[in-house]
DNA sequence: ATCCGTGCAAAGAATTTGCATACAT
DNA sequence: ATGTATGCAAATTCTTTGCACGGAT
């Protein structure tokens, strides 16, 4: 992988945010300062960066893939209310692969986990709603 | 959800196999005995069945979604060699949601897990290859 | 000089949707 | 009678690809 300006820009943009942007969102983020760039290049470079382990691909249940410039070990959860993808950092994740290896039909070596829940923001606005007496 | 012949056929076909077919595969399976059926109906009915918890949707990393007529608690793993999706039954799966709930950024309530590994068939053919002295 | 990267537009894969008709209750 | 289901084709969404050109080593 030889040097490329576009890839550097894309990687920089991805590392500068914690919002787990999609390819299109990243494209919109960098387009103003890089008017010549094309969406196809964003897709291509994201694929390469992911293949080289330099970024993470978050494969959501619905909608386009999201990307994360933080490759340190962590997990992701999608808020069922607002749809945002948030990071989860923990050292206590149990070894689910070991648990999955009880039978010999398949020898498991890795797992993809995607959590779902309600984020802090949405919990707080739900509480506000309850206090205001609005119907649930 | 009123009765529908098509949905009954689709559900029956899905329950009759352990192959985790895609919508297209299911369509091919049932088309011979149901010549009039359309692929759009298969998609629509699968969505409804999944929404009602009557079937499981397996959201693979790449390629089309797969479906499972067995709704008893179990997990899925994709073989990295042949691509097949196999079932994993275990009672010992640790509570990863609890582990993910250490921080308060999001309150996790569920998790989607998809394992990856090498299935028995592929492990055996790899061993055969090694015995025959072919290059790895 | 050679290989890789890029822009553009077009193609592709998977899934959904509008609409008129047919079916279930 | 009413609401849901279906077939068909077209539309949508997300992503990849072919090709000619520009940039990196």
């Amino acid at each position: 992988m030889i040097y490329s300006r576009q890839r550097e820009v894309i990687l920089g943009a991805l590392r500068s945010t914690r919002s787990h942007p999609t390819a299109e969102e990243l494209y919109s983020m960098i387009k103003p300062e890089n008017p010549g760039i094309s969406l196809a290049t964003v897709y291509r470079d994201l694929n390469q960066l992911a293949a080289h382990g330099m970024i993470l691909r978050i494969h959501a249940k619905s909608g386009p893939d999201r990307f994360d410039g933080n490759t340190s070990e962590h997990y992701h959860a999608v808020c069922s209310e607002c749809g945002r993808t948030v990071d989860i950092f923990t050292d206590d994740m149990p070894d689910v692969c070991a648990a999955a290896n009880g039978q010999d039909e398949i020898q498991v070596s890795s797992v993809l986990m995607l959590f779902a829940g309600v984020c802090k923001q949405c919990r707080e606005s739900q509480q506000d709603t309850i206090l205001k007496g609005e119907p649930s």
Side-chain angles (χ1 to χ4, degrees), chain A:
Chain A
M1 200 161 64
I2 68 178
Y3 171 81
S4 108
R5 177 91 236 282
Q6 312 292 46
R7 204 151 41 224
E8 185 178 52
V9 168
I10 291 166
L11 184 54
L14 194 50
R15 284 183 174 161
S16 76
T17 180
R18 254 151 289 171
S19 71
H20 311 97
T22 64
E24 294 256 15
E25 286 167 355
L26 230 17
Y27 175 67
S28 302
M29 285 166 68
I30 62 189
K31 182 84 174 175
E33 301 92 43
N34 305 268
I37 203 169
S38 94
L39 180 55
T41 298
V42 177
Y43 273 106
R44 267 187 296 233
D45 286 350
L46 285 171
N47 281 344
Q48 281 183 98
L49 291 167
H52 285 76
M54 296 171 72
I55 64 173
L56 299 178
R57 181 192 301 268
I58 306 166
H59 181 56
K61 261 178 294 194
S62 65
D65 283 359
R66 298 188 162 274
F67 297 89
D68 191 338
N70 180 358
T71 54
S72 67
E73 194 191 319
H74 66 287
Y75 305 88
H76 295 108
V78 177
C79 174
S80 56
E81 300 296 314
C82 66
R84 278 192 310 141
T85 300
V86 310
D87 290 314
I88 295 182
F89 296 95
T90 175
D91 296 330
D92 294 327
M93 196 56 72
D95 185 359
V96 289
C97 291
N101 267 323
Q103 55 185 96
D104 76 336
E105 184 55 41
I106 190 155
Q107 189 164 330
V108 167
S109 52
S110 70
V111 67
L112 181 158
M113 278 195 259
L114 185 64
F115 293 92
V118 182
C119 75
K120 197 176 182 178
Q121 268 183 30
C122 289
R123 288 201 308 277
E124 284 166 2
S125 51
Q126 284 173 358
Q127 289 174 358
D128 289 352
T129 303
I130 289 168
L131 286 175
K132 284 189 213 135
E134 287 179 29
S136 64

